[in-house]
Amino acid sequence: MKKRQWFILAGIAVLVILLSGSMFIVKEGEYKVVLKFGEAVRIEQSPGLKFKIPFIENVFTLPKHQMTYESNPTTMLTKDKKPIIVDNYTVWRITDPTSFNRTVKSVGVGIQRIDEAVYNSVRRKLAEVNFDAIISENTERGNINDEITKDVAEALKRDNYGIEIIDVRIKRTDLPESNKQSVYNRMISDRQSIAARYLSEGDEESRKVTSKADRAATEIIAQAEADAKKIVAEGEKEAARIYNESYGKDPEFYSLYRTLESYVTTLQNEPVIMLPIDSPYAKILLGK
């Protein structure tokens, strides 16, 4: 009886082992590659509980989500033979696990293939661009990044690695310590030259504007003075005409008016005036 129980327990144990060895779970964000005698026989992509032949089929996991690989800083030459230190990052993912398993088999080897393709592409692209354009122009670097991404994606697709390149970006471009200061000095000199040119052009433009304004002011003042003289002359002419016309109508009154005006001028500040008592000027003043 005991032997029978032991056989039953052993059978249950074997059954549990077989069942546990024949089941596996596929999670979100991963592929399960099923191997039979070392060869991939199928790829499980949809999440859930899956089955395999125990002891004959094995399973290993490949990531389905996007991954980021950062390269080590590397010295490269630009078109004008300037050495720069470049490091970049690559965003990628596995889109065809069958091809990936057949060609590279593991994520580590896949990263090696990506690193080689990125290095070759970055080296070629930087060799086509001058140093100043890389470090100074954001638009230029943006164009380089886009071209490198396209170049690397096409290279890996051509080799049928089952890898999709999402983006390749140059993070940093720096100078080697040996020639950093000389390049900085040249950049400072270039910027000072540009600033001096801008200042010279500004001074020249300022002189032109000032000269034009002075010339216009002189012309306006001259015209105003000419107009003023003309108006004064016309006023004096009109005043003389009015005086003459008034004098012609009543000479005695006009003579008296002019005499009274002279009194106003003469007697300002209460001066002492010596006049004969019988002079016409004194008589009018005295009211005789």
Side-chain angles (χ1 to χ4, degrees):
M1 192 66 174
K2 290 184 178 180
K3 289 184 178 180
R4 183 178 181 183
Q5 290 177 348
W6 279 109
F7 280 124
I8 293 174
L9 292 175
I12 293 173
V14 171
L15 182 61
V16 169
I17 294 172
L18 291 175
L19 287 175
S20 63
S22 65
M23 293 186 297
F24 62 95
I25 297 175
V26 181
K27 300 178 181 179
E28 288 284 354
E30 67 180 15
Y31 303 106
K32 290 293 187 180
V33 181
V34 181
L35 302 176
K36 186 175 182 180
F37 302 118
E39 296 293 332
V41 292
R42 66 182 185 278
I43 306 292
E44 297 290 353
Q45 303 186 32
S46 58
L49 183 64
K50 309 295 178 180
F51 295 92
K52 64 181 180 65
I53 301 173
F55 307 113
I56 296 177
E57 293 181 339
N58 296 317
V59 176
F60 75 92
T61 304
L62 291 175
K64 186 187 292 185
H65 56 79
Q66 290 185 1
M67 293 168 282
T68 301
Y69 164 69
E70 296 190 11
S71 67
N72 294 321
T74 306
T75 301
M76 299 183 183
L77 291 178
T78 60
K79 182 179 180 180
D80 48 355
K81 305 305 179 184
K82 298 292 178 59
I84 59 173
I85 300 174
V86 179
D87 63 352
N88 51 267
Y89 69 89
T90 304
V91 181
W92 67 287
R93 65 182 177 186
I94 302 170
T95 54
D96 186 347
T98 301
S99 298
F100 185 87
N101 180 70
R102 185 178 65 253
T103 55
V104 297
K105 297 186 181 302
S106 69
V107 172
V109 177
I111 288 176
Q112 292 179 8
R113 300 291 183 268
I114 292 172
D115 187 59
E116 293 169 0
V118 170
Y119 173 80
N120 292 332
S121 180
V122 172
R123 185 185 59 184
R124 286 196 304 270
K125 295 301 179 181
L126 293 185
E128 298 172 358
V129 183
N130 288 329
F131 174 79
D132 291 342
I134 297 173
I135 65 171
S136 301
E137 300 294 337
N138 290 330
T139 53
E140 186 71 29
R141 182 180 291 189
N143 292 338
I144 292 174
N145 287 330
D146 294 340
E147 292 174 5
I148 292 172
T149 299
K150 182 180 179 182
D151 191 32
V152 174
E154 290 177 350
L156 295 180
K157 184 178 180 180
R158 183 173 56 251
D159 293 334
N160 197 25
Y161 289 138
I163 294 174
E164 178 185 6
I165 299 298
I166 309 299
D167 196 14
V168 180
R169 292 284 153 181
I170 295 175
K171 292 198 306 180
R172 178 175 63 100
T173 52
D174 203 356
L175 294 167
E177 292 297 330
S178 59
N179 63 344
K180 182 178 292 187
Q181 190 58 48
S182 63
V183 174
Y184 283 169
N185 292 338
R186 182 177 60 82
M187 292 173 63
I188 292 172
S189 177
D190 291 343
R191 296 305 181 270
Q192 290 175 342
S193 176
I194 294 172
R197 187 178 77 246
Y198 285 159
L199 289 173
S200 176
E201 293 174 353
D203 290 342
E204 183 180 356
E205 188 65 22
S206 175
R207 287 193 295 270
K208 289 181 181 179
V209 172
T210 302
S211 176
K212 185 177 180 180
D214 291 343
R215 185 168 59 253
T218 302
E219 293 175 355
I220 292 172
I221 292 172
Q223 184 63 41
E225 290 176 347
D227 292 342
K229 290 178 180 179
K230 182 178 179 182
I231 293 171
V232 170
E234 291 177 351
E236 291 176 348
K237 180 180 178 182
E238 183 65 16
R241 185 187 67 76
I242 294 173
Y243 286 145
N244 291 333
E245 184 178 341
S246 299
Y247 182 77
K249 290 182 179 180
D250 193 343
E252 292 182 0
F253 173 77
Y254 183 73
S255 177
L256 176 62
Y257 175 74
R258 294 299 298 270
T259 302
L260 294 176
E261 281 188 336
S262 72
Y263 289 157
V264 174
T265 303
T266 304
L267 298 177
Q268 285 182 355
N269 301 321
E270 300 180 358
V272 177
I273 302 175
M274 304 294 292
L275 293 172
I277 194 67
D278 58 347
S279 69
Y281 197 78
K283 289 180 179 180
I284 295 174
L285 186 62
L286 297 173
K288 295 182 180 180

